[in-house]
Amino acid sequence: MFFERFSLKTRFAAAPLLAAAVLAGCSDDSTNQQSEAPPPPAVTVAKIEKTDIRQSARFVGQVAAVDQVDLVARVSGFLENKAVPDGSVVKKGDQLFTIEKAQYEASLLKAKADVASAKADAALKAADEKRDKDLFEKGHVSEAAYEATLAQKEQAEALVEAAESAQKQAELNLSYTDVSAPFPGQMGKTTYSVGEVVGPNTQPLAKLIRLAPVYVNFSVSESEYLNAVQNHGINPSDIDASKSPDIKLILPNGQQYEEVGKIVYIDNAVDPTTGTIAFRGQFTNKDIRLLAGTYVTVILEAPETETALVVPQSAIQRDQQGDFALQVADDKTVKQVYLDLGQQVDTNFVVKKGLDEGAEVIVEGLQKVRPGVEVDPVLASQPAESS
């Protein structure tokens, strides 16, 4: 019992001394921390500079064939021959399919015979008319008899014309048994096999598509349309391919297409369902890399360059109020500035409002600073691409 009381007294007596020691230690640490404040964080900055740029706008486009046609059988019959394999590249006039000819050859022979018969009958009726005309003038036949003979002659001549028309139709039907390429292009997949019955009411035999040149169709909003007319030198009422601004393409694999195209068509009205206006560009497609139906990115460039302030993409951040950058002021403190940005040019953005030439913005070390703190800026040798 004595030892327990002695222990408690000892503890209570030692407590004030321990507290005083702890407070003294804390006071010393606080003093050390204040005397050893960390240096300002180092950040990399880039200067806002003017540079020559070419205004451009990007749109989603789709490649379309200048010419494409469904090859339809214009007469009925058995498919007798398929002259080229599926996917073949053909020239204009190349034979593609043959439909059984026998019945159309027979129809043509009959039509020719009908023409010969009609002409013979017409010649006979012409002779009768000539005879009765002479007799009528001499008063040997009545006027009514002569008019009847004349009517028979005219009827015979009309039958000749009808027979000749039927012969022409028979010749056309026979020519339709040969299906040839109306323009150079590439064949698609054939729908029918040799021996199947085809005709005007069956599906197309195949599709033929012209490979070059090609169209690229894209749509622009009303505001983008006005910018294109104002900034890109486009005259919508007089599309002259030689004077239109260049258009370039980014392919689905991210590569830029080597050829440069021209605008050849602008629609004359706004689509009320989408609020856009249809544009059409044309490319020569010499290497046949652009296939109909492919989606591409269309870049519409202004005809001339202009000078503008640019800010590195890596300096741009965004919050609910909009785009902003962290600028290093003359006293090396950070301030937040909101920007009105224009188009993107490579890894930079055009600055319309918010920064002046020569201003320094942070491009690396953004995560280490906040507005109001002092920093140690280091000028970047070139604009960084990522923070």
Side-chain angles (χ1 to χ4, degrees):
M1 191 71 179
F2 170 79
F3 289 106
E4 290 179 358
R5 291 178 181 175
F6 177 79
S7 177
L8 289 174
K9 289 181 179 180
T10 305
R11 291 177 185 174
F12 285 123
L17 297 175
L18 178 61
V22 171
L23 290 174
C26 291
S27 177
D28 292 341
D29 291 342
S30 176
T31 303
N32 292 335
Q33 288 178 359
Q34 291 179 359
S35 62
E36 298 178 3
V43 294
T44 303
V45 298
K47 281 192 175 183
I48 303 302
E49 298 177 344
K50 287 185 177 180
T51 185
D52 291 335
I53 64 168
R54 179 170 289 185
Q55 291 281 356
S56 65
R58 296 191 174 206
F59 309 93
V60 176
Q62 187 175 26
V63 180
V66 171
D67 292 307
Q68 65 177 26
V69 64
D70 289 328
L71 300 169
V72 178
R74 302 182 68 176
V75 292
S76 298
F78 291 104
L79 185 60
E80 191 172 79
N81 181 44
K82 185 174 74 171
V84 297
D86 293 351
S88 298
V89 177
V90 298
K91 296 180 293 184
K92 181 179 179 179
D94 283 355
Q95 182 77 14
L96 305 178
F97 299 98
T98 302
I99 299 171
E100 185 182 23
K101 296 177 178 290
Q103 60 177 322
Y104 299 102
E105 290 173 339
S107 296
L108 178 58
L109 289 175
K110 182 180 181 303
K112 288 180 177 179
D114 291 342
V115 169
S117 175
K119 286 182 176 180
D121 185 60
L124 180 60
K125 293 299 192 294
D128 291 344
E129 187 271 337
K130 183 178 180 181
R131 181 199 62 206
D132 286 0
K133 181 179 180 181
D134 182 59
L135 293 174
F136 170 68
E137 290 175 349
K138 292 179 180 180
H140 297 303
V141 297
S142 65
E143 182 178 357
Y146 169 70
E147 288 181 350
T149 304
L150 179 61
Q152 290 177 356
K153 174 196 172 187
E154 292 174 347
Q155 182 180 27
E157 291 174 345
L159 290 175
V160 170
E161 292 180 358
E164 289 177 341
S165 177
Q167 178 182 334
K168 289 181 180 179
Q169 185 61 55
E171 290 171 346
L172 278 175
N173 290 340
L174 181 59
S175 70
Y176 291 156
T177 60
D178 291 325
V179 180
S180 56
F183 52 80
Q186 184 177 24
M187 287 285 295
K189 182 180 179 181
T190 304
T191 308
Y192 298 99
S193 300
V194 172
E196 291 189 274
V197 176
V198 297
N201 296 324
T202 61
Q203 296 182 31
L205 303 175
K207 184 187 290 292
L208 178 66
I209 295 180
R210 186 189 292 270
L211 297 177
V214 295
Y215 291 138
V216 175
N217 298 318
F218 59 100
S219 298
V220 305
S221 67
E222 297 172 70
S223 60
E224 291 169 331
Y225 168 77
L226 295 175
N227 289 336
V229 173
Q230 180 178 352
N231 301 328
H232 294 208
I234 295 176
N235 182 358
S237 62
D238 183 18
I239 302 301
D240 185 347
S242 64
K243 298 179 181 178
S244 77
D246 294 342
I247 54 176
K248 299 179 181 179
L249 300 180
I250 302 296
L251 302 178
N253 61 1
Q255 294 180 350
Q256 181 167 322
Y257 189 52
E258 294 83 0
E259 290 183 9
V260 175
K262 295 290 184 179
I263 294 175
V264 294
Y265 168 78
I266 300 177
D267 205 353
N268 58 2
V270 176
D271 186 338
T273 59
T274 62
T276 59
I277 302 171
F279 276 56
R280 173 179 289 170
Q282 182 170 315
F283 290 78
T284 57
N285 197 27
K286 291 182 179 180
D287 56 5
I288 317 298
R289 292 179 65 190
L290 301 178
L291 299 180
T294 303
Y295 283 95
V296 294
T297 299
V298 180
I299 303 175
L300 178 60
E301 289 190 338
E304 298 178 356
T305 60
E306 61 181 50
T307 302
L309 290 175
V310 294
V311 59
Q313 180 182 358
S314 55
I316 303 302
Q317 301 184 73
R318 187 173 181 83
D319 61 14
Q320 293 181 347
Q321 297 183 46
D323 298 313
F324 69 89
L326 296 181
Q327 180 182 353
V328 178
D330 294 338
D331 60 359
K332 297 186 179 181
T333 58
V334 177
K335 67 176 182 178
Q336 184 178 9
V337 289
Y338 285 92
L339 308 175
D340 182 7
L341 299 179
Q343 72 172 87
Q344 182 173 355
V345 182
D346 298 326
T347 58
N348 299 319
F349 280 99
V350 173
V351 180
K352 295 182 178 179
K353 186 178 180 181
L355 290 171
D356 297 324
E357 185 177 7
E360 295 182 350
V361 293
I362 300 176
V363 294
E364 290 185 4
L366 294 167
Q367 70 282 1
K368 300 185 294 184
V369 300
R370 66 182 185 278
V373 303
E374 184 180 350
V375 294
D376 178 19
V378 177
L379 188 64
S381 57
Q382 58 183 12
E385 295 186 3
S386 60
S387 58

